[in-house]
Amino acid sequence: MPKKGPLDPIKMRKETREWLASHTLEDVRGVARELENAGEDVSELVDAINELEALVNTGPTHSRHESAKAEA
């Protein structure tokens, strides 16, 4: 059972990084759907997911990755 009380932001960031390392944007979309079904307003979360997906698909890192592959 999780302990009650204030959250440790450093521990939360570590747990978030670990979770994100093993999940996809589609997993995050699933969490957003579950929260929405529970009555939560997830519009900002969905906007952030869409923005992140756009960055992943068209951002400068993607271009650099393609350039590195071409040079190899």
Side-chain angles (χ1 to χ4, degrees):
M1 183 176 211
K3 75 174 190 172
K4 301 285 182 185
L7 297 174
D8 177 4
I10 293 171
K11 182 178 180 190
M12 289 300 296
R13 283 192 296 265
K14 180 178 183 263
E15 290 174 356
T16 301
R17 280 193 311 272
E18 289 171 354
W19 190 89
L20 289 171
S22 62
H23 291 80
T24 66
L25 285 174
E26 204 50 47
D27 295 332
V28 179
R29 286 188 191 284
V31 170
R33 278 191 298 275
E34 289 177 18
L35 289 170
E36 186 175 41
N37 290 339
E40 297 292 328
D41 177 10
V42 296
S43 58
E44 289 183 19
L45 176 58
V46 171
D47 289 345
I49 294 167
N50 291 338
E51 201 172 314
L52 179 58
E53 188 170 47
L55 287 171
V56 168
N57 291 332
T58 63
T61 303
H62 185 264
S63 298
R64 276 187 260 138
H65 179 69
E66 292 300 317
S67 297
K69 282 172 51 177
E71 291 174 11

